[in-house]
Amino acid sequence: ISSLTLAGAGTPAASGEAVKAEGWKNLSLDSLVITDFFTGTGISRTERVRITGCTIRNSTGTGISLMSSDIGLIADNTLDQCGTGISGEESSRIEIRQNRISACREGAIRLSHGLRDSAVTGNILVGNGDISGNLTGEDLPALSLEYADNVTVSDNTLKRNAGTALFLDQCRWMQLRGNIMDDNRYGFTCIPGRLDPGNRIDSSNRVNGDPVLYYEGLIGETIEGFSPASLYLVNCTGVTLRGLAQVAGGGFGFFVSGGSDITIENCSAENNRYQNMLLAGVKNSSISGSSVANSSGYGIGLIHSGSVEITGTTVTRSGVGIAVRGDTTLARISGNSLASNQVGFPGEAGG
């Protein structure tokens, strides 16, 4: 199907799909112009689908929806003023490249629940996530992947989005490189979640010019002399973070997931959405002589951790100063300064 113009009623649509395909093989949609439908293209249980060179505007729900499909190319499309630009679930071997997506209220690209063996490359995502007008009222990411396996996310440009630029949740075997995130409300967020995620996220991913630093399985190293956009340690042992200043603002400033014997000294973190510093499932570790400020959530969080010491650290202007959660035990918190937080220290279940 190529070179068609499909127009809806001209008012925000509550239902209706311009193109709907279920159970097809070898479907090609090229150079379509679609306006004013709830869904631009709704594709499910389809093998070998190509959606290229299309223009989709004012889709109240989703511009391009792909579910339970295998082997696909979504490339060189323009999507503007949709609910969500591109969404995908339970699909594999999908390439999403060189699309331009703007002014989509619920985010530009949302991929969840089983996407695998795929790639998201060279897309331009600008001005998505209208907080005042989206359906949920949330600050939704421009590009989000949840429970995805073996997906390459590279060379995307994410600018001036009202939410988080790039969000990974419970993903494994991801390869991230060359993604540029400038002037977004928040930059990069990763929630490792699953054991041994095996992600490769290199420092060519940048937020307002600062590198994202992500390490898995690092042993006995000292990291210093950087101003990271955010820093992640996953299942690391004997690592020291010294003199790092994080200011770019993401989901987390410093996120330590698993591992033991982690030392954070004379570091600073600020302007993060969830937590400035989080230690989750960590043993025999410490934070000292550091400062954190301006987190919408926790200044410093401890969860499911043991034998952790926080001393000589300043926590200001956060939702919660220092929070202890889950089955955290043997936490020693002393000699710190907590000021101008909504709540200072609400310890729970351990301490």
Side-chain angles (χ1 to χ4, degrees):
I1 302 173
S2 65
S3 303
L4 289 179
T5 296
L6 302 169
T11 57
S15 62
E17 296 166 302
V19 177
K20 181 177 181 179
E22 184 174 353
W24 281 57
K25 288 188 177 181
N26 301 312
L27 174 66
S28 178
L29 306 175
D30 181 64
S31 301
L32 304 183
V33 177
I34 298 172
T35 58
D36 297 320
F37 285 85
F38 185 79
T39 300
T41 65
I43 312 299
S44 62
R45 297 193 298 110
T46 293
E47 184 178 339
R48 299 187 185 277
V49 57
R50 292 173 57 93
I51 303 173
T52 57
C54 296
T55 298
I56 303 175
R57 290 191 170 94
N58 297 325
S59 289
T60 313
T62 303
I64 297 173
S65 175
L66 189 67
M67 298 183 64
S68 303
S69 296
D70 183 39
I71 309 177
L73 174 65
I74 301 173
D76 302 307
N77 301 289
T78 297
L79 298 104
D80 182 59
Q81 299 184 62
C82 300
T84 300
I86 299 171
S87 67
E89 296 183 11
E90 299 290 348
S91 296
S92 62
R93 295 183 286 181
I94 306 298
E95 184 178 2
I96 301 172
R97 63 171 167 81
Q98 295 179 332
N99 301 283
R100 183 177 182 88
I101 306 176
S102 59
C104 291
R105 295 177 300 280
E106 302 294 308
I109 301 176
R110 300 178 66 183
L111 306 170
S112 61
H113 299 100
L115 182 76
R116 60 191 185 279
D117 305 329
S118 297
V120 182
T121 62
N123 299 283
I124 298 175
L125 314 179
V126 178
N128 298 283
D130 179 3
I131 298 172
S132 63
N134 68 27
L135 300 179
T136 63
E138 295 181 5
D139 177 11
L140 295 175
L143 171 54
S144 63
L145 296 97
E146 300 176 7
Y147 292 94
D149 289 346
N150 190 33
V151 177
T152 296
V153 181
S154 67
D155 303 307
N156 297 288
T157 299
L158 306 96
K159 291 187 175 182
R160 298 188 300 278
N161 295 288
T164 299
L166 175 52
F167 190 106
L168 304 182
D169 188 3
Q170 315 286 330
C171 295
R172 297 183 299 182
W173 313 317
M174 307 291 288
Q175 300 88 43
L176 269 68
R177 60 181 180 273
N179 298 290
I180 302 301
M181 297 161 268
D182 290 337
D183 301 321
N184 303 284
R185 178 65 183 91
Y186 298 102
F188 175 76
T189 297
C190 177
I191 300 176
R194 300 152 90 179
L195 295 175
D196 300 319
N199 297 317
R200 289 181 290 171
I201 301 172
D202 71 31
S203 60
S204 66
N205 299 286
R206 292 185 171 262
V207 177
N208 299 330
D210 293 337
V212 173
L213 302 181
Y214 181 97
Y215 304 92
E216 285 191 32
L218 196 64
I219 299 175
E221 298 286 341
T222 296
I223 301 169
E224 56 187 336
F226 288 97
S227 294
S230 51
L231 185 145
Y232 292 80
L233 298 179
V234 181
N235 299 330
C236 296
T237 303
V239 173
T240 296
L241 308 179
R242 180 181 297 132
L244 303 178
Q246 180 273 330
V247 296
F252 303 91
F254 297 77
F255 190 157
V256 184
S257 176
S260 66
D261 302 288
I262 305 299
T263 300
I264 301 173
E265 59 183 34
N266 301 322
C267 293
S268 62
E270 57 184 88
N271 302 322
N272 297 286
R273 182 179 182 189
Y274 300 111
Q275 302 190 38
N276 283 322
M277 294 184 180
L278 171 61
L279 276 61
V282 179
K283 297 181 180 179
N284 303 320
S285 297
S286 65
I287 299 171
S288 64
S290 296
S291 63
V292 299
N294 297 327
S295 172
S296 299
Y298 300 162
I300 298 174
L302 306 178
I303 186 168
H304 306 313
S305 295
S307 300
V308 176
E309 183 177 85
I310 302 174
T311 58
T313 291
T314 300
V315 184
T316 58
R317 300 186 303 279
S318 295
V320 174
I322 299 175
V324 180
R325 296 286 189 262
D327 56 358
T328 296
T329 59
L330 300 176
R332 179 173 176 265
I333 300 171
S334 64
N336 303 289
S337 175
L338 281 68
S340 301
N341 303 290
Q342 294 180 34
V343 178
F345 179 71
E348 283 185 9

